[in-house]
Amino acid sequence: MTQPDTSAPPAPPTRTAWQDALERLATDRLTVHAGGGSKAQQRQHDKNRLTARKRIRQLIDDQTPFDELMTFAGWEMYQDVGGCPSGGTVTGIGTIQGRPWMIIANDATVKAGAFFPITAKKVIRAQTIALENHLPVVYLVDSAGVYLPMQDEIFPDQDDFGRVFYLNARMSARGIPQIAAIMGNCVAGGAYLPVMCDTLIMTEGSGLYLAGPALVKAAIGQVVDSEDLGGAGMHASIAGTVDYKEPDDAAALRRIRALADLYAQGESAPFARRRRETLPAPERDLTELVGFDGSQRYDVRDLITALVDGGEFHEFKAEYGETIVCGFARAGGFPVAFVANQRTVIKKKLKSGGEPGLRTRIEVGGVIYGDSADKAARFIMDANQAGVPLVFLSDVTGFMVGRDSEQEGIIRRGAKLVNAVSNSVVPKITIITGGSFGAGNYAMNGKAYAPRFLFAWPSAKYAVMSGNAAAKTLMDIQLAALKRAGTEPDDEDILRLYDEVKSKYDTELDPRYAAARLWVDEIIPPNDTRERLIRALEACAQNPHQDEFRVGVFQV
């Protein structure tokens, strides 16, 4: 007789922090993709119009990816007015007739596509990427114009709404193709954008006017319906503003594809002319190599070889300045130059003449020391001399501090590295895989240093200093202020204050917080890094121009 099995069932496998983070990323992305919600999407369908992402999917070539950018723009912002998912607009690079195009599409399910402050900044960033990489642009216009309750934050400044049209004109002057399709509302100042493009398409039932019927009546007392004021028929046959009038979204998208297929292809970038056949990279799960919380040590050379063709990496000065790893490789057949923070603990050999018997010291991975700053600065100069794009793998705590480091000239040597990064003229792409703290963010080509693309893993942390250090510093400041005010906090008050400060700072360290404010261009899963990098290089390859490399006053 078979005895019943009374043993306990095997324990389920322990979930990893990476699994939780990637599932949350996927869930949050779906939330963003819902835009203004199902009711708003149905209203769009009731007008015989597609939603923004469906328009993009019909526009790009079949079976090709759409590399969305700034998906999390506006994340958890503007909550008092219902939020602004993805900044009310969808941007990214898709292939149209075999060529990469920047696509900028208003999401009319979010406040009728109105421009919030973050919307303008997102469109400007997308246009800037297009300008720097000579990417042709398609605008799918469906917007009610500026969100008036916030007009003072959207309208007047250098990087506000007006900058959209400035970049519109600058791209046109440089011969970068721009096609616009009005597929809904296009009102007020926003009406200038499509009219400043090479080609303007408009669907029936859409409206293009500086002021809608209600505003016209209020301003000048004239009563006029939408079609006579700014409909597709009027603009096609009377005003002559529209180049092509189409019955619906599908016809407009087909027209864009047909026109895009006729544009001449310009020269490629010098580095792209040295592209070779793509070789596969060694298969490796990057979430097993790189820990989620930064506590796991790893050799960044293993990460690099998992990203490059054939795993072949030509390391520069391998035994010097070891907390930064530099070297050349190929990715997708393109030549690339890596600058990466090493995350192992390093036993550093010292110059002779130091303390008797002391010839080594321990250096902590993720920290930039004087010799690693020197090496990276020199390597960046070499990459510019060779005309090879730079890829920064950023997992940096900051520059080394303390008496010895100061006496070794860390400020001078760090300034040299920042100078080289600032004046680099080859395309620069940054991937934040872990911490990106303080001046280390600057040295590793943070947002202020004009990366063509800046990606972050879900493990990225982006701030002046790490959470624990910042919380301790901020708490000390607040405690001092309380004591100056005559309050002597007890242990319970101190613990509560620390928890409050730490919680706020941890929220600000989350990569979604950075992505919401466009400090990063996209949060990507680690195992998508190689493919996103290759397609980013393909986008960079569209610009054949490279400035002369000059560094000005250079610390030695």
Side-chain angles (χ1 to χ4, degrees):
M1 180 177 176
T2 304
Q3 296 296 320
D5 185 1
T6 58
S7 62
T14 303
R15 290 184 59 81
T16 68
W18 270 118
Q19 287 175 313
D20 291 338
L22 292 172
E23 283 189 13
R24 183 190 166 193
L25 178 64
T27 300
D28 290 346
R29 198 180 296 278
L30 288 175
T31 299
V32 169
H33 283 192
S38 58
K39 290 182 179 179
Q41 291 177 11
Q42 187 57 50
R43 285 195 296 271
Q44 189 78 344
H45 296 321
D46 291 343
K47 298 174 185 175
N48 195 31
R49 295 174 185 166
L50 299 171
T51 56
R53 288 183 175 83
K54 287 183 178 178
R55 286 170 173 168
I56 291 170
R57 179 42 58 192
Q58 286 195 18
L59 176 62
I60 65 176
D61 296 350
D62 289 340
Q63 308 302 314
T64 62
F66 174 60
D67 285 332
E68 189 165 346
L69 296 168
M70 297 168 282
T71 303
F72 288 95
W75 176 258
E76 295 185 342
M77 296 169 66
Y78 316 117
Q79 299 288 64
D80 56 329
V81 294
C84 186
S86 209
T89 188
V90 183
T91 61
I93 298 172
T95 302
I96 304 174
Q97 303 292 14
R99 180 181 183 182
W101 286 68
M102 174 63 74
I103 303 170
I104 301 172
N106 299 117
D107 184 352
T109 72
V110 179
K111 294 289 192 295
F115 271 65
F116 280 67
I118 199 65
T119 315
K121 288 176 169 53
K122 179 172 176 176
V123 172
I124 289 165
R125 174 59 181 160
Q127 289 178 305
T128 301
I129 291 172
L131 179 65
E132 291 177 341
N133 295 296
H134 286 207
L135 289 174
V137 185
V138 170
Y139 302 93
L140 304 180
V141 183
D142 193 350
S143 171
V146 165
Y147 183 65
L148 286 176
M150 295 182 178
Q151 64 84 26
D152 62 319
E153 301 176 54
I154 303 167
F155 170 69
D157 208 349
Q158 175 177 317
D159 289 323
D160 285 345
F161 196 48
R163 190 75 174 184
V164 171
F165 316 120
Y166 171 86
L167 291 168
N168 212 190
R170 298 287 289 182
M171 281 191 281
S172 183
R174 291 197 185 184
I176 299 171
Q178 296 176 90
I179 300 174
I182 298 172
M183 311 173 85
N185 288 319
C186 184
V187 299
Y192 290 113
L193 182 145
V195 180
M196 294 173 72
C197 292
D198 305 344
T199 302
L200 176 53
I201 299 162
M202 190 171 178
T203 59
E204 294 177 4
S206 296
L208 169 64
Y209 25 65
L210 289 179
L215 185 55
V216 167
K217 182 179 180 181
I220 63 174
Q222 186 180 75
V223 178
V224 59
D225 67 27
S226 179
E227 179 58 35
D228 284 345
L229 183 64
M234 188 283 290
H235 279 298
S237 63
I238 298 174
T241 308
V242 170
D243 302 315
Y244 300 91
K245 183 181 73 170
E246 301 295 346
D248 53 28
D249 283 9
L253 296 169
R254 286 195 298 270
R255 179 75 71 178
I256 295 171
R257 287 186 53 80
L259 295 172
D261 198 30
L262 299 173
Y263 276 95
Q265 178 71 52
E267 286 187 35
S268 58
F271 77 87
R273 299 170 207 164
R274 303 295 295 175
R275 190 177 191 180
R276 298 290 180 261
E277 180 184 356
T278 301
L279 299 175
E283 290 189 15
R284 179 145 196 185
D285 184 347
L286 299 186
T287 64
E288 293 180 356
L289 171 64
V290 182
F292 181 78
D293 63 1
S295 62
Q296 178 178 318
R297 295 291 168 188
Y298 66 93
D299 191 329
V300 78
R301 298 179 188 90
D302 294 335
L303 174 56
I304 293 170
T305 55
L307 298 177
V308 302
D309 293 1
E312 185 176 355
F313 177 55
H314 304 281
E315 188 171 354
F316 174 83
K317 294 186 185 293
E319 298 179 14
Y320 181 75
E322 295 176 78
T323 63
I324 292 184
V325 172
C326 303
F328 293 101
R330 287 186 183 272
F334 292 110
V336 287
F338 282 93
V339 178
N341 299 114
Q342 179 59 285
R343 295 298 301 189
T344 60
V345 175
I346 295 158
K347 196 172 184 180
K348 164 75 176 175
K349 293 180 180 178
L350 298 177
K351 294 179 181 179
S352 60
E355 296 179 36
L358 182 62
R359 293 292 180 268
T360 62
R361 74 175 179 207
I362 298 299
E363 293 188 343
V364 180
V367 178
I368 301 175
Y369 292 79
D371 54 358
S372 52
D374 283 344
K375 179 174 81 171
R378 166 63 193 279
F379 180 72
I380 289 168
M381 296 177 75
D382 280 6
N384 277 270
Q385 184 79 353
V388 175
L390 283 156
V391 177
F392 292 81
L393 300 179
S394 178
D395 190 357
V396 60
T397 306
F399 285 88
M400 189 59 190
V401 297
R403 182 194 60 197
D404 291 347
S405 188
E406 296 290 358
Q407 291 182 358
E408 290 172 3
I410 189 64
I411 299 174
R412 168 177 54 79
R413 298 161 99 176
K416 178 164 48 178
L417 174 53
V418 170
N419 186 322
V421 172
S422 302
N423 286 301
S424 180
V425 295
V426 295
K428 297 179 295 184
I429 297 170
T430 300
I431 302 163
I432 302 176
T433 63
S436 184
F437 297 122
N441 170 273
Y442 305 156
M444 294 301 292
N445 195 47
K447 184 64 183 289
Y449 293 82
R452 298 279 186 96
F453 295 93
L454 197 162
F455 301 115
W457 288 2
S459 53
K461 294 177 177 61
Y462 207 107
V464 169
M465 62 180 74
S466 63
N468 289 328
K472 177 72 166 59
T473 302
L474 290 169
M475 190 186 72
D476 288 346
I477 292 170
Q478 292 191 29
L479 286 175
L482 288 172
K483 290 177 180 179
R484 285 197 301 271
T487 301
E488 190 64 41
D490 58 23
D491 290 346
E492 186 175 328
D493 292 332
I494 292 172
L495 182 60
R496 177 183 51 78
L497 183 60
Y498 177 83
D499 288 342
E500 288 175 359
V501 171
K502 181 72 162 55
S503 176
K504 178 178 183 297
Y505 205 82
D506 284 346
T507 298
E508 295 172 0
L509 282 173
D510 189 284
R512 290 162 191 76
Y513 188 91
R517 291 152 181 80
L518 310 187
W519 302 340
V520 301
D521 291 322
E522 190 69 358
I523 304 172
I524 62 172
N527 289 324
D528 289 355
T529 303
R530 172 172 157 84
E531 293 306 315
R532 287 300 292 254
L533 172 59
I534 291 170
R535 291 197 294 273
L537 290 165
E538 288 171 345
C540 296
Q542 306 303 305
N543 184 355
H545 178 73
Q546 182 172 306
D547 292 332
E548 180 185 356
F549 179 56
R550 300 193 304 179
V551 296
V553 176
F554 204 63
Q555 292 284 353
V556 295

